[in-house]
Amino acid sequence: MKFLSKALTTLLTLGRLARPSLAFAPTSRSAAFYTSSTSLSMAEKLPVMAPEEVMSPKAHGTSEASVMKDLRWNCDYETSDRICNFNRHYAEYAGYWTSTEFLKFVKDRENPEAPINFYDSVTGTLLFTAPVGRTMTEFLKESTSHGWPSFRDEECNWEYVRCLRDGECVSTTGTHLGHNIPDKTGNRYCINLVSVAGKEE
């Protein structure tokens, strides 16, 4: 517990130094495993792709509705709505997630190492669960290093998460989430916290 607390303090400092990456090339690799809710075959290649039409204009930008008013971790409503529904390329600033109440939320839980569910800020659908196959400290360190919460294949709920050909990561209902920016170990989904700060519906 003391080690994780110290790590969180360090991450808050490092988060201010994070800088965005310009590499948005998509890739795919075989899944190690999926969440129990998915029906995808182990033979499927990841990420799961979607046509451009998933982001077609709808009642509220690319979604049918605005984001939730009471977002988790005190994420900003206007920033979230703009990024989720009226945006295809831009993101919350690098390190934004460390300025929210997210790290305090992690630290104050009964078990700080327990995985966290991340829900679509528009629909409340489960999109990511992390950490899976690594420690919380490893998840936070990677996220801080890049500047945004960074998820791996096994941490995505592939029933609702999709990628487009240019690497844009979206939900099946049209919420802009972030981008797939692979590294030497595989796919890395760099996601705006404001896009996954919803509450379970």
Side-chain angles (χ1 to χ4, degrees):
M1 180 72 75
K2 289 184 178 179
F3 175 79
L4 181 58
S5 178
K6 182 178 180 181
L8 288 170
T9 301
T10 302
L11 289 171
L12 282 168
T13 301
L14 291 175
R16 302 188 187 98
L17 304 177
R19 291 293 182 269
S21 169
L22 298 179
F24 291 125
T27 189
S28 50
R29 66 178 179 131
S30 297
F33 59 91
Y34 297 93
T35 59
S36 59
S37 61
T38 188
S39 59
L40 293 174
S41 164
M42 288 292 287
E44 294 277 0
K45 294 290 186 178
L46 297 177
V48 177
M49 306 301 289
E52 177 67 26
E53 287 71 25
V54 72
M55 298 299 283
S56 62
K58 303 179 183 69
H60 190 78
T62 57
S63 299
E64 292 294 348
S66 63
V67 300
M68 300 175 184
K69 290 289 186 180
D70 186 22
L71 295 168
R72 299 168 79 191
W73 309 306
N74 201 29
C75 286
D76 182 69
Y77 170 83
E78 291 185 0
T79 301
S80 178
D81 198 51
R82 182 175 66 253
I83 288 177
C84 289
N85 298 319
F86 299 95
N87 163 63
R88 301 295 306 279
H89 305 291
Y90 299 103
E92 64 197 22
Y93 64 81
Y96 168 83
W97 67 281
T98 65
S99 73
T100 69
E101 296 177 0
F102 179 78
L103 291 176
K104 183 178 185 300
F105 166 81
V106 173
K107 179 181 177 182
D108 290 348
R109 295 182 303 158
E110 183 176 349
N111 178 8
E113 287 290 337
I116 298 170
N117 288 332
F118 297 82
Y119 300 95
D120 191 316
S121 292
V122 177
T123 66
T125 301
L126 176 64
L127 298 178
F128 302 94
T129 299
V132 173
R134 54 178 168 169
T135 66
M136 180 63 73
T137 298
E138 289 169 336
F139 168 68
L140 295 175
K141 181 178 179 180
E142 179 174 56
S143 298
T144 301
S145 175
H146 187 69
W148 291 270
S150 298
F151 301 91
R152 296 294 176 167
D153 287 336
E154 56 268 26
E155 295 170 328
C156 303
N157 181 358
W158 292 111
E159 288 190 3
Y160 301 105
V161 175
R162 295 290 184 271
C163 280
L164 305 185
R165 292 185 63 184
D166 65 353
E168 182 182 5
C169 189
V170 303
S171 75
T172 55
T173 54
T175 304
H176 172 83
L177 304 176
H179 284 82
N180 178 22
I181 306 178
D183 61 11
K184 62 184 179 181
T185 65
N187 294 318
R188 179 175 60 188
Y189 307 95
C190 303
I191 304 301
N192 296 290
L193 186 66
V194 296
S195 297
V196 291
K199 295 181 179 179
E200 182 178 12
E201 288 291 288

mmCIF file of all heavy atoms in Angstrom, residues 46-81:
data_model
loop_
_atom_site.group_PDB
_atom_site.id
_atom_site.type_symbol
_atom_site.label_atom_id
_atom_site.label_comp_id
_atom_site.label_asym_id
_atom_site.label_seq_id
_atom_site.Cartn_x
_atom_site.Cartn_y
_atom_site.Cartn_z
ATOM 1 N N LEU A 46 -6.997 -8.352 -33.548
ATOM 2 C CA LEU A 46 -7.332 -7.104 -32.884
ATOM 3 C C LEU A 46 -6.464 -5.969 -33.422
ATOM 4 O O LEU A 46 -5.349 -6.197 -33.836
ATOM 5 C CB LEU A 46 -7.139 -7.262 -31.378
ATOM 6 C CG LEU A 46 -8.053 -8.298 -30.716
ATOM 7 C CD1 LEU A 46 -7.721 -8.418 -29.238
ATOM 8 C CD2 LEU A 46 -9.514 -7.958 -30.912
ATOM 9 N N PRO A 47 -7.004 -4.757 -33.438
ATOM 10 C CA PRO A 47 -8.314 -4.377 -32.904
ATOM 11 C C PRO A 47 -9.457 -4.796 -33.814
ATOM 12 O O PRO A 47 -9.253 -5.088 -34.990
ATOM 13 C CB PRO A 47 -8.222 -2.850 -32.832
ATOM 14 C CG PRO A 47 -7.307 -2.502 -33.962
ATOM 15 C CD PRO A 47 -6.267 -3.590 -33.976
ATOM 16 N N VAL A 48 -10.664 -4.797 -33.276
ATOM 17 C CA VAL A 48 -11.854 -5.036 -34.084
ATOM 18 C C VAL A 48 -12.132 -3.754 -34.859
ATOM 19 O O VAL A 48 -12.216 -2.674 -34.274
ATOM 20 C CB VAL A 48 -13.067 -5.407 -33.206
ATOM 21 C CG1 VAL A 48 -14.307 -5.586 -34.070
ATOM 22 C CG2 VAL A 48 -12.777 -6.675 -32.420
ATOM 23 N N MET A 49 -12.247 -3.873 -36.167
ATOM 24 C CA MET A 49 -12.395 -2.704 -37.026
ATOM 25 C C MET A 49 -13.865 -2.378 -37.282
ATOM 26 O O MET A 49 -14.744 -3.235 -37.160
ATOM 27 C CB MET A 49 -11.672 -2.925 -38.349
ATOM 28 C CG MET A 49 -10.214 -3.325 -38.204
ATOM 29 S SD MET A 49 -9.209 -2.101 -37.312
ATOM 30 C CE MET A 49 -9.156 -0.784 -38.534
ATOM 31 N N ALA A 50 -14.098 -1.122 -37.628
ATOM 32 C CA ALA A 50 -15.448 -0.661 -37.957
ATOM 33 C C ALA A 50 -15.367 0.244 -39.177
ATOM 34 O O ALA A 50 -14.341 0.883 -39.420
ATOM 35 C CB ALA A 50 -16.069 0.098 -36.794
ATOM 36 N N PRO A 51 -16.437 0.328 -39.952
ATOM 37 C CA PRO A 51 -16.451 1.261 -41.082
ATOM 38 C C PRO A 51 -16.622 2.689 -40.596
ATOM 39 O O PRO A 51 -17.062 2.932 -39.470
ATOM 40 C CB PRO A 51 -17.680 0.802 -41.884
ATOM 41 C CG PRO A 51 -18.586 0.206 -40.858
ATOM 42 C CD PRO A 51 -17.677 -0.469 -39.872
ATOM 43 N N GLU A 52 -16.298 3.627 -41.453
ATOM 44 C CA GLU A 52 -16.410 5.052 -41.124
ATOM 45 C C GLU A 52 -17.827 5.434 -40.726
ATOM 46 O O GLU A 52 -18.036 6.369 -39.940
ATOM 47 C CB GLU A 52 -15.953 5.886 -42.328
ATOM 48 C CG GLU A 52 -16.072 7.384 -42.158
ATOM 49 C CD GLU A 52 -15.133 7.953 -41.101
ATOM 50 O OE1 GLU A 52 -14.081 7.338 -40.840
ATOM 51 O OE2 GLU A 52 -15.472 9.016 -40.544
ATOM 52 N N GLU A 53 -18.813 4.702 -41.218
ATOM 53 C CA GLU A 53 -20.215 5.034 -40.971
ATOM 54 C C GLU A 53 -20.589 5.052 -39.489
ATOM 55 O O GLU A 53 -21.556 5.695 -39.091
ATOM 56 C CB GLU A 53 -21.128 4.050 -41.703
ATOM 57 C CG GLU A 53 -21.190 4.236 -43.211
ATOM 58 C CD GLU A 53 -19.912 3.813 -43.905
ATOM 59 O OE1 GLU A 53 -19.181 2.965 -43.343
ATOM 60 O OE2 GLU A 53 -19.621 4.347 -45.001
ATOM 61 N N VAL A 54 -19.819 4.354 -38.653
ATOM 62 C CA VAL A 54 -20.145 4.330 -37.220
ATOM 63 C C VAL A 54 -20.069 5.732 -36.623
ATOM 64 O O VAL A 54 -20.720 6.032 -35.617
ATOM 65 C CB VAL A 54 -19.210 3.354 -36.460
ATOM 66 C CG1 VAL A 54 -17.802 3.914 -36.346
ATOM 67 C CG2 VAL A 54 -19.753 3.041 -35.072
ATOM 68 N N MET A 55 -19.304 6.613 -37.261
ATOM 69 C CA MET A 55 -19.152 7.980 -36.765
ATOM 70 C C MET A 55 -19.959 8.977 -37.603
ATOM 71 O O MET A 55 -19.658 10.175 -37.601
ATOM 72 C CB MET A 55 -17.670 8.361 -36.755
ATOM 73 C CG MET A 55 -16.819 7.498 -35.829
ATOM 74 S SD MET A 55 -17.341 7.621 -34.098
ATOM 75 C CE MET A 55 -16.640 9.200 -33.639
ATOM 76 N N SER A 56 -20.964 8.514 -38.286
ATOM 77 C CA SER A 56 -21.815 9.395 -39.088
ATOM 78 C C SER A 56 -22.603 10.338 -38.178
ATOM 79 O O SER A 56 -22.832 10.035 -37.001
ATOM 80 C CB SER A 56 -22.778 8.565 -39.933
ATOM 81 O OG SER A 56 -23.632 7.804 -39.095
ATOM 82 N N PRO A 57 -23.031 11.510 -38.697
ATOM 83 C CA PRO A 57 -23.799 12.469 -37.877
ATOM 84 C C PRO A 57 -25.080 11.852 -37.331
ATOM 85 O O PRO A 57 -25.783 11.124 -38.021
ATOM 86 C CB PRO A 57 -24.104 13.593 -38.875
ATOM 87 C CG PRO A 57 -23.017 13.494 -39.896
ATOM 88 C CD PRO A 57 -22.741 12.020 -40.042
ATOM 89 N N LYS A 58 -25.352 12.166 -36.067
ATOM 90 C CA LYS A 58 -26.553 11.671 -35.399
ATOM 91 C C LYS A 58 -27.246 12.841 -34.692
ATOM 92 O O LYS A 58 -26.974 14.000 -35.012
ATOM 93 C CB LYS A 58 -26.190 10.546 -34.433
ATOM 94 C CG LYS A 58 -25.458 9.371 -35.102
ATOM 95 C CD LYS A 58 -25.110 8.304 -34.094
ATOM 96 C CE LYS A 58 -24.319 7.170 -34.737
ATOM 97 N NZ LYS A 58 -22.942 7.595 -35.136
ATOM 98 N N ALA A 59 -28.090 12.557 -33.743
ATOM 99 C CA ALA A 59 -28.874 13.607 -33.085
ATOM 100 C C ALA A 59 -27.999 14.604 -32.335
ATOM 101 O O ALA A 59 -28.342 15.783 -32.214
ATOM 102 C CB ALA A 59 -29.886 12.977 -32.130
ATOM 103 N N HIS A 60 -26.865 14.146 -31.806
ATOM 104 C CA HIS A 60 -25.975 15.005 -31.027
ATOM 105 C C HIS A 60 -24.543 14.744 -31.479
ATOM 106 O O HIS A 60 -23.828 13.940 -30.883
ATOM 107 C CB HIS A 60 -26.140 14.725 -29.530
ATOM 108 C CG HIS A 60 -25.450 15.718 -28.646
ATOM 109 N ND1 HIS A 60 -25.955 16.970 -28.371
ATOM 110 C CD2 HIS A 60 -24.273 15.645 -27.964
ATOM 111 C CE1 HIS A 60 -25.140 17.621 -27.560
ATOM 112 N NE2 HIS A 60 -24.106 16.823 -27.298
ATOM 113 N N GLY A 61 -24.136 15.379 -32.542
ATOM 114 C CA GLY A 61 -22.807 15.123 -33.089
ATOM 115 C C GLY A 61 -22.734 13.722 -33.669
ATOM 116 O O GLY A 61 -23.560 13.329 -34.485
ATOM 117 N N THR A 62 -21.757 12.942 -33.205
ATOM 118 C CA THR A 62 -21.637 11.557 -33.677
ATOM 119 C C THR A 62 -22.389 10.576 -32.787
ATOM 120 O O THR A 62 -22.346 9.367 -33.023
ATOM 121 C CB THR A 62 -20.152 11.144 -33.748
ATOM 122 O OG1 THR A 62 -19.551 11.327 -32.461
ATOM 123 C CG2 THR A 62 -19.404 11.968 -34.792
ATOM 124 N N SER A 63 -23.073 11.089 -31.766
ATOM 125 C CA SER A 63 -23.852 10.244 -30.845
ATOM 126 C C SER A 63 -25.322 10.646 -30.864
ATOM 127 O O SER A 63 -25.689 11.689 -31.427
ATOM 128 C CB SER A 63 -23.311 10.376 -29.413
ATOM 129 O OG SER A 63 -21.962 9.956 -29.318
ATOM 130 N N GLU A 64 -26.127 9.846 -30.216
ATOM 131 C CA GLU A 64 -27.557 10.147 -30.139
ATOM 132 C C GLU A 64 -27.889 11.077 -28.981
ATOM 133 O O GLU A 64 -28.986 11.634 -28.923
ATOM 134 C CB GLU A 64 -28.361 8.845 -29.994
ATOM 135 C CG GLU A 64 -28.330 7.941 -31.226
ATOM 136 C CD GLU A 64 -29.023 8.560 -32.428
ATOM 137 O OE1 GLU A 64 -29.729 9.582 -32.256
ATOM 138 O OE2 GLU A 64 -28.848 8.039 -33.541
ATOM 139 N N ALA A 65 -26.947 11.263 -28.050
ATOM 140 C CA ALA A 65 -27.219 12.091 -26.875
ATOM 141 C C ALA A 65 -25.927 12.717 -26.375
ATOM 142 O O ALA A 65 -24.824 12.321 -26.785
ATOM 143 C CB ALA A 65 -27.856 11.248 -25.772
ATOM 144 N N SER A 66 -26.044 13.686 -25.489
ATOM 145 C CA SER A 66 -24.875 14.315 -24.884
ATOM 146 C C SER A 66 -24.289 13.394 -23.817
ATOM 147 O O SER A 66 -24.889 12.373 -23.459
ATOM 148 C CB SER A 66 -25.269 15.655 -24.254
ATOM 149 O OG SER A 66 -26.204 15.440 -23.211
ATOM 150 N N VAL A 67 -23.125 13.761 -23.298
ATOM 151 C CA VAL A 67 -22.522 12.972 -22.230
ATOM 152 C C VAL A 67 -23.320 13.182 -20.940
ATOM 153 O O VAL A 67 -24.113 14.118 -20.819
ATOM 154 C CB VAL A 67 -21.039 13.359 -22.000
ATOM 155 C CG1 VAL A 67 -20.219 13.134 -23.259
ATOM 156 C CG2 VAL A 67 -20.909 14.792 -21.523
ATOM 157 N N MET A 68 -23.087 12.325 -19.974
ATOM 158 C CA MET A 68 -23.760 12.428 -18.686
ATOM 159 C C MET A 68 -23.355 13.720 -17.969
ATOM 160 O O MET A 68 -22.228 14.181 -18.103
ATOM 161 C CB MET A 68 -23.383 11.226 -17.812
ATOM 162 C CG MET A 68 -23.760 9.896 -18.403
ATOM 163 S SD MET A 68 -23.148 8.524 -17.374
ATOM 164 C CE MET A 68 -23.648 7.129 -18.383
ATOM 165 N N LYS A 69 -24.273 14.285 -17.227
ATOM 166 C CA LYS A 69 -23.994 15.523 -16.502
ATOM 167 C C LYS A 69 -23.032 15.309 -15.338
ATOM 168 O O LYS A 69 -22.172 16.135 -15.067
ATOM 169 C CB LYS A 69 -25.307 16.116 -15.972
ATOM 170 C CG LYS A 69 -26.209 16.671 -17.053
ATOM 171 C CD LYS A 69 -25.634 17.943 -17.651
ATOM 172 C CE LYS A 69 -26.610 18.582 -18.628
ATOM 173 N NZ LYS A 69 -26.053 19.834 -19.226
ATOM 174 N N ASP A 70 -23.181 14.192 -14.643
ATOM 175 C CA ASP A 70 -22.389 13.923 -13.448
ATOM 176 C C ASP A 70 -21.334 12.866 -13.744
ATOM 177 O O ASP A 70 -21.493 11.693 -13.396
ATOM 178 C CB ASP A 70 -23.300 13.478 -12.305
ATOM 179 C CG ASP A 70 -22.555 13.331 -10.985
ATOM 180 O OD1 ASP A 70 -21.479 13.942 -10.855
ATOM 181 O OD2 ASP A 70 -23.052 12.610 -10.098
ATOM 182 N N LEU A 71 -20.253 13.275 -14.383
ATOM 183 C CA LEU A 71 -19.209 12.338 -14.771
ATOM 184 C C LEU A 71 -18.342 11.952 -13.579
ATOM 185 O O LEU A 71 -18.211 12.704 -12.611
ATOM 186 C CB LEU A 71 -18.336 12.958 -15.864
ATOM 187 C CG LEU A 71 -19.041 13.232 -17.195
ATOM 188 C CD1 LEU A 71 -18.165 14.112 -18.085
ATOM 189 C CD2 LEU A 71 -19.389 11.926 -17.902
ATOM 190 N N ARG A 72 -17.758 10.776 -13.652
ATOM 191 C CA ARG A 72 -16.875 10.313 -12.581
ATOM 192 C C ARG A 72 -15.585 11.132 -12.534
ATOM 193 O O ARG A 72 -15.170 11.732 -13.531
ATOM 194 C CB ARG A 72 -16.529 8.829 -12.784
ATOM 195 C CG ARG A 72 -17.726 7.913 -12.771
ATOM 196 C CD ARG A 72 -17.366 6.527 -13.251
ATOM 197 N NE ARG A 72 -16.698 5.719 -12.241
ATOM 198 C CZ ARG A 72 -16.108 4.549 -12.506
ATOM 199 N NH1 ARG A 72 -16.068 4.083 -13.741
ATOM 200 N NH2 ARG A 72 -15.544 3.853 -11.531
ATOM 201 N N TRP A 73 -14.961 11.120 -11.371
ATOM 202 C CA TRP A 73 -13.647 11.716 -11.147
ATOM 203 C C TRP A 73 -13.627 13.229 -11.404
ATOM 204 O O TRP A 73 -12.585 13.803 -11.672
ATOM 205 C CB TRP A 73 -12.590 10.992 -11.986
ATOM 206 C CG TRP A 73 -12.658 9.513 -11.781
ATOM 207 C CD1 TRP A 73 -12.617 8.840 -10.588
ATOM 208 C CD2 TRP A 73 -12.822 8.500 -12.792
ATOM 209 N NE1 TRP A 73 -12.734 7.486 -10.791
ATOM 210 C CE2 TRP A 73 -12.868 7.232 -12.136
ATOM 211 C CE3 TRP A 73 -12.929 8.537 -14.181
ATOM 212 C CZ2 TRP A 73 -13.020 6.049 -12.812
ATOM 213 C CZ3 TRP A 73 -13.082 7.341 -14.864
ATOM 214 C CH2 TRP A 73 -13.123 6.108 -14.183
ATOM 215 N N ASN A 74 -14.816 13.833 -11.381
ATOM 216 C CA ASN A 74 -14.938 15.281 -11.557
ATOM 217 C C ASN A 74 -14.427 15.739 -12.924
ATOM 218 O O ASN A 74 -13.875 16.844 -13.064
ATOM 219 C CB ASN A 74 -14.180 16.034 -10.449
ATOM 220 C CG ASN A 74 -14.669 17.448 -10.283
ATOM 221 O OD1 ASN A 74 -15.824 17.767 -10.535
ATOM 222 N ND2 ASN A 74 -13.768 18.332 -9.859
ATOM 223 N N CYS A 75 -14.622 14.893 -13.937
ATOM 224 C CA CYS A 75 -14.250 15.277 -15.299
ATOM 225 C C CYS A 75 -15.169 16.391 -15.787
ATOM 226 O O CYS A 75 -16.359 16.427 -15.461
ATOM 227 C CB CYS A 75 -14.346 14.072 -16.233
ATOM 228 S SG CYS A 75 -13.017 12.861 -16.015
ATOM 229 N N ASP A 76 -14.620 17.279 -16.596
ATOM 230 C CA ASP A 76 -15.361 18.446 -17.063
ATOM 231 C C ASP A 76 -16.397 18.070 -18.121
ATOM 232 O O ASP A 76 -16.072 17.426 -19.127
ATOM 233 C CB ASP A 76 -14.385 19.466 -17.644
ATOM 234 C CG ASP A 76 -15.074 20.735 -18.103
ATOM 235 O OD1 ASP A 76 -15.552 21.489 -17.236
ATOM 236 O OD2 ASP A 76 -15.152 20.945 -19.327
ATOM 237 N N TYR A 77 -17.639 18.480 -17.903
ATOM 238 C CA TYR A 77 -18.741 18.123 -18.798
ATOM 239 C C TYR A 77 -18.543 18.681 -20.204
ATOM 240 O O TYR A 77 -18.676 17.954 -21.203
ATOM 241 C CB TYR A 77 -20.069 18.623 -18.237
ATOM 242 C CG TYR A 77 -21.220 18.500 -19.213
ATOM 243 C CD1 TYR A 77 -21.908 17.298 -19.364
ATOM 244 C CD2 TYR A 77 -21.602 19.585 -19.995
ATOM 245 C CE1 TYR A 77 -22.939 17.175 -20.278
ATOM 246 C CE2 TYR A 77 -22.637 19.468 -20.914
ATOM 247 C CZ TYR A 77 -23.304 18.272 -21.057
ATOM 248 O OH TYR A 77 -24.316 18.160 -21.966
ATOM 249 N N GLU A 78 -18.249 19.962 -20.324
ATOM 250 C CA GLU A 78 -18.140 20.582 -21.647
ATOM 251 C C GLU A 78 -16.984 19.993 -22.449
ATOM 252 O O GLU A 78 -17.122 19.745 -23.649
ATOM 253 C CB GLU A 78 -17.981 22.098 -21.508
ATOM 254 C CG GLU A 78 -19.235 22.789 -20.991
ATOM 255 C CD GLU A 78 -19.106 24.297 -20.985
ATOM 256 O OE1 GLU A 78 -18.036 24.819 -21.394
ATOM 257 O OE2 GLU A 78 -20.070 24.965 -20.567
ATOM 258 N N THR A 79 -15.855 19.770 -21.783
ATOM 259 C CA THR A 79 -14.716 19.146 -22.459
ATOM 260 C C THR A 79 -15.085 17.752 -22.933
ATOM 261 O O THR A 79 -14.790 17.357 -24.067
ATOM 262 C CB THR A 79 -13.498 19.066 -21.518
ATOM 263 O OG1 THR A 79 -13.139 20.379 -21.100
ATOM 264 C CG2 THR A 79 -12.312 18.404 -22.208
ATOM 265 N N SER A 80 -15.745 17.003 -22.075
ATOM 266 C CA SER A 80 -16.144 15.649 -22.413
ATOM 267 C C SER A 80 -17.104 15.619 -23.600
ATOM 268 O O SER A 80 -16.926 14.848 -24.539
ATOM 269 C CB SER A 80 -16.800 14.971 -21.202
ATOM 270 O OG SER A 80 -17.245 13.673 -21.532
ATOM 271 N N ASP A 81 -18.118 16.475 -23.571
ATOM 272 C CA ASP A 81 -19.112 16.470 -24.649
ATOM 273 C C ASP A 81 -18.479 16.857 -25.976
ATOM 274 O O ASP A 81 -18.797 16.274 -27.019
ATOM 275 C CB ASP A 81 -20.259 17.414 -24.306
ATOM 276 C CG ASP A 81 -21.495 17.145 -25.144
ATOM 277 O OD1 ASP A 81 -21.926 15.967 -25.212
ATOM 278 O OD2 ASP A 81 -22.040 18.098 -25.747
#
